[in-house]
Amino acid sequence: MTIEQPVPALHFDGPELAEDALIEWAAAKATLDDQRDLIVSGARTAGVKPAEIGRLTGLAATTISRIPAAPVAVPLPPAMEYAVILRTRAARHQDQANRTTESGGNHEGRAVAFRYAALAVRGGRENISGAFLMGILDTADARLAALAGIYRREAAELTLATNPTAWQRGFHAGSREALDALADEITEIRRIGEDALPAAELAHARAVLTSESQPRETEAPGLGQQA
């Protein structure tokens, strides 16, 4: 008689690393859960029959019927322009945080939120707030959809330290407000594209991108240098 052996558990070098893994797994699972309705709705809009969705996913027919087909997102969201806009907002709030102590925490919280959002929008899977898409479509729209869900959760889960200082309260409020605003703005970008962005910010972002794409002039050789 063969005794079935248990599958070995993952090895962690200490409880801290194990806790980090649990946190990342929970964040990734929440991202996948957020994606479910978006993917099923997109599949229905693309013409996949409910019965086929059920066969492929194992979802119950009643669940699928509650997720109707819906208008799809714009095919090419302005991700690069949006990343520049977020980077510019972060710099503006950081400058304001450095100039004042009374509301510095609020501006610092906003600066941090916009700075990391800029990295996530500009980058790929590895920059999405520590939560990976785990096999879901790696497209610009899928990344933005994931970000919107992540930021809504993060805004709701932010907690204050015990007996917070005025600066900490400001940082908490600024972070939460920025994350909520980001989630709303990203969803609107997915819905209507660049028209969701302020015209002045969009024009500035395009000017920055154009400038960054221009080849830099090489300096003329100085005395004693060969051309």
XYZ file of all heavy atoms in Angstrom, residues 110-195:
653
model
N -0.272 63.294 -1.329
C -0.670 63.345 -2.737
C 0.523 63.100 -3.648
O 0.416 62.391 -4.663
C -1.308 64.700 -3.049
C -2.652 64.928 -2.372
C -3.154 66.345 -2.581
N -4.375 66.579 -1.831
C -5.595 66.323 -2.291
N -5.741 65.830 -3.514
N -6.659 66.559 -1.548
N 1.671 63.686 -3.294
C 2.867 63.524 -4.116
C 3.262 62.054 -4.213
O 3.593 61.552 -5.297
C 4.015 64.352 -3.548
N 3.228 61.350 -3.085
C 3.598 59.928 -3.073
C 2.628 59.120 -3.941
O 3.043 58.275 -4.747
C 3.619 59.389 -1.632
C 3.762 57.872 -1.622
C 4.759 60.027 -0.841
N 1.332 59.384 -3.797
C 0.331 58.647 -4.582
C 0.532 58.873 -6.074
O 0.535 57.921 -6.873
C -1.072 59.065 -4.161
N 0.724 60.114 -6.477
C 0.898 60.414 -7.898
C 2.223 59.862 -8.434
O 2.294 59.403 -9.577
C 0.834 61.929 -8.132
C -0.539 62.515 -7.980
C -0.740 63.694 -7.282
C -1.643 61.888 -8.535
C -2.008 64.244 -7.146
C -2.920 62.422 -8.409
C -3.101 63.603 -7.707
N 3.259 59.888 -7.598
C 4.568 59.406 -8.037
C 4.522 57.910 -8.354
O 5.011 57.464 -9.396
C 5.610 59.684 -6.954
C 7.053 59.425 -7.389
C 8.014 59.791 -6.263
N 7.839 61.174 -5.847
C 7.586 61.575 -4.592
N 7.464 60.678 -3.623
N 7.444 62.845 -4.307
N 3.927 57.133 -7.459
C 3.857 55.692 -7.692
C 2.870 55.342 -8.797
O 3.072 54.377 -9.541
C 3.516 54.965 -6.393
C 4.716 54.817 -5.488
C 4.903 55.661 -4.404
C 5.694 53.866 -5.751
C 6.021 55.550 -3.594
C 6.811 53.747 -4.941
C 6.973 54.591 -3.862
O 8.089 54.484 -3.072
N 1.818 56.140 -8.939
C 0.883 55.911 -10.040
C 1.570 56.154 -11.378
O 1.344 55.416 -12.347
C -0.329 56.816 -9.895
N 2.428 57.169 -11.443
C 3.158 57.447 -12.678
C 4.045 56.261 -13.057
O 4.122 55.875 -14.228
C 4.005 58.709 -12.515
N 4.714 55.674 -12.075
C 5.554 54.506 -12.333
C 4.719 53.328 -12.827
O 5.109 52.607 -13.747
C 6.313 54.112 -11.064
C 7.422 55.057 -10.612
C 7.956 54.616 -9.252
C 8.547 55.094 -11.633
N 3.559 53.121 -12.210
C 2.707 51.985 -12.575
C 2.139 52.153 -13.973
O 2.087 51.203 -14.757
C 1.574 51.839 -11.557
N 1.698 53.373 -14.307
C 1.117 53.613 -15.630
C 2.176 53.480 -16.716
O 1.938 52.910 -17.778
C 0.473 55.019 -15.676
C 0.097 55.395 -17.113
C -0.764 55.062 -14.790
N 3.361 53.974 -16.441
C 4.436 53.949 -17.429
C 5.050 52.565 -17.560
O 5.501 52.161 -18.630
C 5.518 54.949 -17.035
C 6.645 55.079 -18.065
C 7.665 56.093 -17.594
N 8.262 55.706 -16.319
C 9.032 56.511 -15.594
N 9.251 57.746 -15.985
N 9.545 56.086 -14.450
N 5.072 51.812 -16.454
C 5.726 50.513 -16.459
C 4.787 49.389 -16.823
O 3.769 49.577 -17.477
N 5.151 48.201 -16.401
C 4.353 47.022 -16.716
C 3.866 46.344 -15.466
O 3.568 46.976 -14.462
N 3.815 45.032 -15.496
C 3.275 44.261 -14.382
C 4.003 44.531 -13.076
O 3.388 44.605 -12.014
C 3.405 42.763 -14.686
C 2.616 42.292 -15.878
C 3.055 40.883 -16.251
N 2.338 40.410 -17.414
C 1.278 39.632 -17.363
N 0.795 39.277 -16.214
N 0.680 39.228 -18.457
N 5.352 44.690 -13.164
C 6.124 44.774 -11.935
C 5.886 46.071 -11.173
O 6.275 46.183 -10.020
C 7.624 44.646 -12.256
C 8.233 45.839 -12.997
C 7.966 45.816 -14.488
O 7.216 44.929 -14.941
O 8.495 46.697 -15.190
N 5.251 47.051 -11.794
C 5.071 48.345 -11.142
C 3.651 48.580 -10.643
O 3.320 49.683 -10.234
C 5.449 49.475 -12.103
C 6.952 49.598 -12.266
O 7.684 49.339 -11.329
N 7.407 49.955 -13.439
N 2.821 47.598 -10.707
C 1.424 47.810 -10.345
C 1.248 47.632 -8.848
O 0.713 46.640 -8.357
C 0.484 46.891 -11.149
C 0.643 47.193 -12.639
C -0.957 47.103 -10.752
C -0.282 46.420 -13.526
N 1.750 48.600 -8.101
C 1.482 48.715 -6.674
C 1.752 47.432 -5.898
O 1.106 47.162 -4.903
C 0.019 49.140 -6.477
O -0.222 49.513 -5.146
N 2.686 46.604 -6.376
C 3.006 45.372 -5.673
C 2.067 44.225 -5.983
O 2.293 43.106 -5.550
N 0.993 44.482 -6.725
C 0.040 43.411 -7.066
C 0.180 43.080 -8.547
O 0.148 43.951 -9.392
C -1.388 43.856 -6.756
N 0.361 41.820 -8.868
C 0.591 41.419 -10.240
C -0.719 40.975 -10.885
O -1.662 40.561 -10.222
C 1.598 40.271 -10.296
C 2.915 40.612 -9.681
C 3.195 40.282 -8.370
C 3.864 41.303 -10.416
C 4.411 40.617 -7.799
C 5.083 41.642 -9.853
C 5.354 41.301 -8.545
N -0.762 41.089 -12.220
C -1.979 40.687 -12.927
C -2.130 39.173 -12.990
O -3.198 38.668 -13.301
C -1.966 41.264 -14.348
C -2.073 42.793 -14.403
C -2.141 43.254 -15.858
C -3.288 43.279 -13.662
N -1.057 38.440 -12.721
C -1.127 36.986 -12.588
C -1.784 36.311 -13.790
O -2.715 35.533 -13.660
C -1.906 36.630 -11.315
C -1.288 37.163 -10.051
S 0.213 36.297 -9.599
C -0.471 34.755 -9.023
N -1.318 36.645 -14.998
C -1.800 35.952 -16.180
C -2.930 36.647 -16.902
O -3.284 36.244 -17.999
N -3.526 37.676 -16.299
C -4.560 38.414 -17.010
C -3.889 39.221 -18.112
O -2.715 39.537 -18.059
C -5.322 39.342 -16.032
C -5.978 38.506 -14.940
C -6.371 40.165 -16.744
C -6.947 37.464 -15.435
N -4.663 39.571 -19.137
C -4.115 40.271 -20.295
C -3.143 41.373 -19.911
O -3.461 42.245 -19.116
C -5.269 40.885 -21.103
C -6.216 39.921 -21.807
C -7.373 40.693 -22.427
C -5.478 39.136 -22.862
N -1.957 41.333 -20.492
C -0.960 42.370 -20.233
C -1.070 43.434 -21.316
O -0.233 43.545 -22.203
C 0.441 41.762 -20.202
C 1.480 42.787 -19.775
O 1.099 43.794 -19.165
O 2.668 42.575 -20.065
N -2.143 44.204 -21.264
C -2.365 45.296 -22.204
C -2.467 46.590 -21.420
O -2.642 46.590 -20.200
C -3.662 45.087 -22.997
O -4.776 45.129 -22.085
C -3.669 43.740 -23.726
N -2.369 47.713 -22.132
C -2.471 49.009 -21.464
C -3.814 49.139 -20.748
O -3.892 49.624 -19.614
C -2.293 50.130 -22.481
N -4.886 48.691 -21.383
C -6.205 48.808 -20.767
C -6.320 47.900 -19.552
O -6.867 48.297 -18.523
C -7.303 48.467 -21.786
C -8.686 48.598 -21.181
O -8.948 49.618 -20.508
O -9.511 47.685 -21.368
N -5.791 46.670 -19.641
C -5.869 45.749 -18.503
C -5.098 46.300 -17.313
O -5.532 46.173 -16.163
C -5.325 44.376 -18.901
N -3.934 46.919 -17.580
C -3.160 47.491 -16.480
C -3.912 48.647 -15.829
O -3.936 48.776 -14.602
C -1.790 47.956 -16.985
C -0.854 46.815 -17.333
C 0.578 47.301 -17.490
N 0.737 48.197 -18.631
C 1.023 47.788 -19.863
N 1.146 46.495 -20.113
N 1.185 48.660 -20.836
N -4.522 49.513 -16.653
C -5.274 50.638 -16.088
C -6.479 50.142 -15.289
O -6.780 50.674 -14.211
C -5.734 51.582 -17.198
C -4.648 52.429 -17.860
C -5.242 53.275 -18.984
C -3.964 53.324 -16.846
N -7.177 49.137 -15.802
C -8.324 48.594 -15.075
C -7.891 48.020 -13.731
O -8.564 48.211 -12.713
C -9.018 47.517 -15.916
N -6.751 47.317 -13.725
C -6.243 46.770 -12.473
C -5.881 47.883 -11.502
O -6.172 47.805 -10.307
C -5.029 45.879 -12.749
N -5.252 48.934 -12.012
C -4.853 50.046 -11.150
C -6.057 50.707 -10.489
O -6.018 51.054 -9.307
C -4.072 51.085 -11.954
C -2.612 50.769 -12.245
C -2.008 51.852 -13.135
C -1.827 50.662 -10.957
N -7.120 50.911 -11.256
C -8.311 51.551 -10.685
C -8.828 50.748 -9.499
O -9.157 51.309 -8.440
C -9.391 51.704 -11.758
N -8.901 49.427 -9.652
C -9.362 48.590 -8.547
C -8.417 48.623 -7.368
O -8.843 48.674 -6.204
N -7.112 48.580 -7.644
C -6.112 48.612 -6.570
C -6.219 49.902 -5.783
O -6.203 49.904 -4.542
C -4.699 48.449 -7.162
C -4.504 47.007 -7.648
C -3.633 48.816 -6.138
C -3.264 46.814 -8.493
N -6.333 51.030 -6.482
C -6.358 52.318 -5.783
C -7.634 52.493 -4.964
O -7.616 53.105 -3.899
C -6.176 53.460 -6.779
C -4.793 53.486 -7.393
C -4.560 54.015 -8.652
C -3.693 52.944 -6.714
C -3.289 54.027 -9.205
C -2.430 52.941 -7.262
C -2.233 53.487 -8.515
O -0.980 53.486 -9.055
N -8.750 51.961 -5.442
C -9.981 52.032 -4.646
C -9.824 51.244 -3.343
O -10.246 51.700 -2.271
C -11.167 51.488 -5.443
C -11.625 52.381 -6.571
C -12.976 51.969 -7.111
N -13.217 52.571 -8.412
C -13.557 53.840 -8.601
N -13.678 54.639 -7.545
N -13.763 54.306 -9.809
N -9.222 50.067 -3.435
C -9.015 49.267 -2.236
C -8.030 49.940 -1.289
O -8.241 49.971 -0.074
C -8.523 47.862 -2.602
C -9.580 46.963 -3.197
C -9.122 45.513 -3.154
N -7.819 45.338 -3.777
C -7.621 45.211 -5.084
N -8.652 45.248 -5.897
N -6.416 45.050 -5.568
N -6.936 50.457 -1.840
C -5.936 51.082 -0.989
C -6.508 52.301 -0.268
O -6.196 52.543 0.903
C -4.713 51.481 -1.824
C -3.890 50.279 -2.276
C -2.620 50.691 -2.993
O -2.475 51.897 -3.314
O -1.769 49.821 -3.224
N -7.322 53.078 -0.961
C -7.932 54.247 -0.328
C -8.833 53.827 0.832
O -8.851 54.465 1.891
C -8.732 55.050 -1.354
N -9.570 52.736 0.636
C -10.492 52.271 1.673
C -9.761 51.642 2.852
O -10.258 51.657 3.985
C -11.486 51.263 1.086
N -8.546 51.099 2.597
C -7.843 50.353 3.644
C -6.793 51.183 4.380
O -6.183 50.685 5.339
C -7.170 49.128 3.013
C -8.176 48.104 2.481
C -7.521 47.014 1.645
O -6.273 47.067 1.496
O -8.244 46.141 1.139
N -6.582 52.422 3.972
C -5.588 53.258 4.652
C -5.986 53.459 6.112
O -7.138 53.758 6.418
C -5.471 54.622 3.962
C -4.645 54.673 2.676
C -4.711 56.078 2.088
C -3.195 54.286 2.945
N -5.040 53.313 7.004
C -5.313 53.503 8.427
C -4.327 54.499 9.017
O -3.198 54.641 8.541
C -5.190 52.170 9.186
O -3.873 51.626 8.969
C -6.234 51.167 8.703
N -4.780 55.177 10.046
C -3.946 56.152 10.746
C -3.245 55.496 11.928
O -3.770 54.561 12.540
C -4.794 57.313 11.249
C -4.917 58.541 10.342
C -5.954 59.494 10.917
C -3.578 59.248 10.178
N -2.064 55.997 12.237
C -1.363 55.526 13.420
C -2.094 55.992 14.678
O -2.913 56.914 14.632
C 0.069 56.070 13.427
N -1.827 55.345 15.800
C -2.404 55.764 17.068
C -1.858 57.141 17.451
O -0.660 57.395 17.317
C -2.066 54.747 18.164
O -2.493 53.445 17.743
C -2.767 55.110 19.470
N -2.746 58.015 17.900
C -2.356 59.380 18.267
C -1.533 60.059 17.169
O -0.384 60.468 17.383
C -1.556 59.374 19.577
C -2.343 58.808 20.745
O -3.541 59.087 20.884
N -1.678 58.014 21.576
N -2.102 60.191 15.978
C -1.344 60.750 14.860
C -1.057 62.241 15.058
O -1.820 62.959 15.691
C -2.272 60.530 13.665
C -3.640 60.549 14.263
C -3.496 59.889 15.601
N 0.049 62.672 14.481
C 0.363 64.095 14.466
C -0.472 64.765 13.371
O -1.106 64.100 12.538
C 1.847 64.314 14.154
O 2.129 63.819 12.832
C 2.729 63.577 15.161
N -0.459 66.094 13.372
C -1.187 66.831 12.338
C -0.638 66.489 10.959
O -1.391 66.362 9.986
C -1.092 68.332 12.609
N 0.690 66.327 10.875
C 1.299 65.979 9.593
C 0.826 64.607 9.125
O 0.510 64.423 7.945
C 2.817 65.976 9.738
C 3.555 65.895 8.424
C 4.034 66.930 7.676
C 3.877 64.693 7.704
N 4.646 66.461 6.537
C 4.571 65.086 6.526
C 3.671 63.339 7.929
C 5.032 64.171 5.592
C 4.126 62.432 6.997
C 4.797 62.844 5.850
N 0.759 63.632 10.044
C 0.309 62.288 9.674
C -1.158 62.299 9.245
O -1.530 61.595 8.297
C 0.508 61.329 10.850
C 1.966 60.991 11.131
C 2.144 60.185 12.402
O 1.429 60.388 13.393
N 3.094 59.256 12.387
N -1.975 63.068 9.943
C -3.379 63.169 9.518
C -3.484 63.770 8.119
O -4.287 63.325 7.299
C -4.167 64.006 10.525
C -4.447 63.299 11.851
C -5.534 64.017 12.640
N -5.120 65.373 13.012
C -4.461 65.685 14.121
N -4.143 64.716 14.978
N -4.120 66.923 14.396
N -2.669 64.789 7.862
C -2.680 65.387 6.534
C -2.209 64.420 5.462
O -2.793 64.350 4.379
N -1.151 63.670 5.768
C -0.633 62.694 4.813
C -1.693 61.641 4.511
O -1.905 61.264 3.350
C 0.618 62.036 5.387
C 1.297 61.081 4.439
C 2.314 61.527 3.609
C 0.927 59.746 4.381
C 2.947 60.652 2.728
C 1.545 58.869 3.510
C 2.566 59.325 2.684
N -2.370 61.152 5.549
C -3.420 60.148 5.376
C -4.539 60.684 4.497
O -4.988 60.016 3.551
C -3.954 59.745 6.752
C -5.086 58.766 6.710
N -6.402 59.161 6.682
C -5.098 57.404 6.689
C -7.178 58.098 6.648
N -6.414 57.028 6.657
N -5.001 61.902 4.792
C -6.096 62.492 4.018
C -5.674 62.732 2.569
O -6.424 62.434 1.633
C -6.554 63.798 4.666
N -4.462 63.278 2.387
C -3.997 63.546 1.026
C -3.845 62.276 0.217
O -4.228 62.237 -0.965
N -3.303 61.223 0.829
C -3.142 59.949 0.129
C -4.490 59.369 -0.267
O -4.689 58.933 -1.409
C -2.389 58.952 1.014
O -1.108 59.416 1.331
N -5.438 59.347 0.692
C -6.756 58.767 0.427
C -7.482 59.534 -0.679
O -8.054 58.931 -1.600
C -7.589 58.764 1.699
C -8.932 58.038 1.532
C -9.771 58.104 2.784
N -10.157 59.466 3.098
C -9.758 60.141 4.180
N -8.953 59.556 5.058
N -10.146 61.381 4.382
N -7.457 60.854 -0.600
C -8.147 61.667 -1.608
C -7.509 61.489 -2.982
O -8.218 61.410 -3.998
C -8.131 63.134 -1.185
C -9.002 63.414 0.036
C -8.647 64.725 0.719
O -7.821 65.481 0.167
O -9.207 64.997 1.804
N -6.178 61.414 -3.022
C -5.501 61.233 -4.310
C -5.813 59.864 -4.901
O -6.055 59.738 -6.110
C -3.996 61.410 -4.140
N -5.828 58.815 -4.082
C -6.122 57.468 -4.576
C -7.548 57.369 -5.105
O -7.790 56.765 -6.160
C -5.887 56.443 -3.465
C -4.431 56.203 -3.077
C -4.347 55.380 -1.795
C -3.671 55.518 -4.201
N -8.506 57.950 -4.368
C -9.890 57.957 -4.850
C -10.007 58.689 -6.183
O -10.688 58.231 -7.111
C -10.802 58.624 -3.813
C -11.234 57.664 -2.706
O -11.294 56.449 -2.959
O -11.507 58.139 -1.588
N -9.335 59.846 -6.265
C -9.384 60.624 -7.502
C -8.728 59.868 -8.656
O -9.221 59.907 -9.799
C -8.698 61.974 -7.297
N -7.632 59.177 -8.371
C -6.952 58.392 -9.403
C -7.852 57.284 -9.941
O -7.921 57.050 -11.151
C -5.666 57.797 -8.836
C -4.457 58.726 -8.748
C -3.369 58.107 -7.874
C -3.913 59.040 -10.135
N -8.532 56.583 -9.036
C -9.428 55.500 -9.472
C -10.517 56.029 -10.384
O -10.818 55.426 -11.427
C -10.031 54.800 -8.252
N -11.111 57.164 -10.010
C -12.169 57.753 -10.837
C -11.617 58.220 -12.186
O -12.230 58.000 -13.236
C -12.810 58.937 -10.114
C -13.634 58.513 -8.906
O -14.019 57.328 -8.835
O -13.890 59.366 -8.037
N -10.447 58.859 -12.158
C -9.881 59.398 -13.384
C -9.459 58.288 -14.334
O -9.679 58.377 -15.545
C -8.683 60.282 -13.046
C -8.128 61.072 -14.223
C -7.080 62.077 -13.781
O -6.077 61.660 -13.156
O -7.261 63.268 -14.062
N -8.857 57.238 -13.795
C -8.430 56.124 -14.637
C -9.633 55.462 -15.307
O -9.590 55.111 -16.495
C -7.638 55.097 -13.805
C -6.269 55.679 -13.438
C -7.458 53.784 -14.568
C -5.496 54.849 -12.436
N -10.709 55.285 -14.554
C -11.921 54.699 -15.139
C -12.458 55.572 -16.263
O -12.883 55.066 -17.308
C -12.993 54.521 -14.052
O -12.493 53.647 -13.034
C -14.270 53.929 -14.637
N -12.412 56.880 -16.069
C -12.894 57.797 -17.104
C -11.972 57.776 -18.325
O -12.440 57.859 -19.463
C -12.994 59.217 -16.534
C -13.789 60.179 -17.383
C -15.277 59.844 -17.483
O -15.726 58.886 -16.818
O -15.980 60.547 -18.219
N -10.672 57.639 -18.106
C -9.735 57.520 -19.225
C -10.049 56.269 -20.035
O -10.024 56.285 -21.275
C -8.279 57.471 -18.712
C -7.862 58.840 -18.179
C -7.324 57.025 -19.819
C -6.524 58.838 -17.467
N -10.341 55.172 -19.353
C -10.694 53.939 -20.058
C -11.988 54.113 -20.843
O -12.172 53.476 -21.891
C -10.842 52.783 -19.075
C -9.541 52.384 -18.373
C -9.733 51.139 -17.516
N -10.181 50.031 -18.330
C -11.376 49.447 -18.203
N -12.246 49.865 -17.285
N -11.708 48.446 -18.993
N -12.871 54.959 -20.344
C -14.178 55.129 -20.989
C -14.099 56.020 -22.218
O -14.659 55.694 -23.270
C -15.184 55.704 -19.990
C -16.636 55.654 -20.479
C -17.582 56.147 -19.406
N -17.453 57.579 -19.190
C -18.070 58.508 -19.953
N -18.840 58.127 -20.960
N -17.916 59.787 -19.685
N -13.418 57.170 -22.107
C -13.448 58.132 -23.212
C -12.061 58.545 -23.703
O -11.941 59.407 -24.584
C -14.247 59.399 -22.827
C -13.602 60.113 -21.641
C -15.692 59.045 -22.523
C -14.274 61.430 -21.288
N -10.994 57.963 -23.128
C -9.667 58.270 -23.624
C -9.148 59.615 -23.173
O -9.437 60.085 -22.069
N -8.407 60.281 -24.036
C -7.716 61.513 -23.666
C -8.652 62.658 -23.303
O -8.233 63.606 -22.630
C -6.790 61.954 -24.791
C -7.508 62.349 -26.060
C -6.539 62.703 -27.174
O -5.504 62.032 -27.308
O -6.838 63.647 -27.919
N -9.914 62.589 -23.728
C -10.864 63.645 -23.373
C -11.119 63.701 -21.870
O -11.664 64.693 -21.377
C -12.198 63.444 -24.106
C -12.081 63.727 -25.595
O -11.099 64.397 -25.986
O -12.950 63.286 -26.366
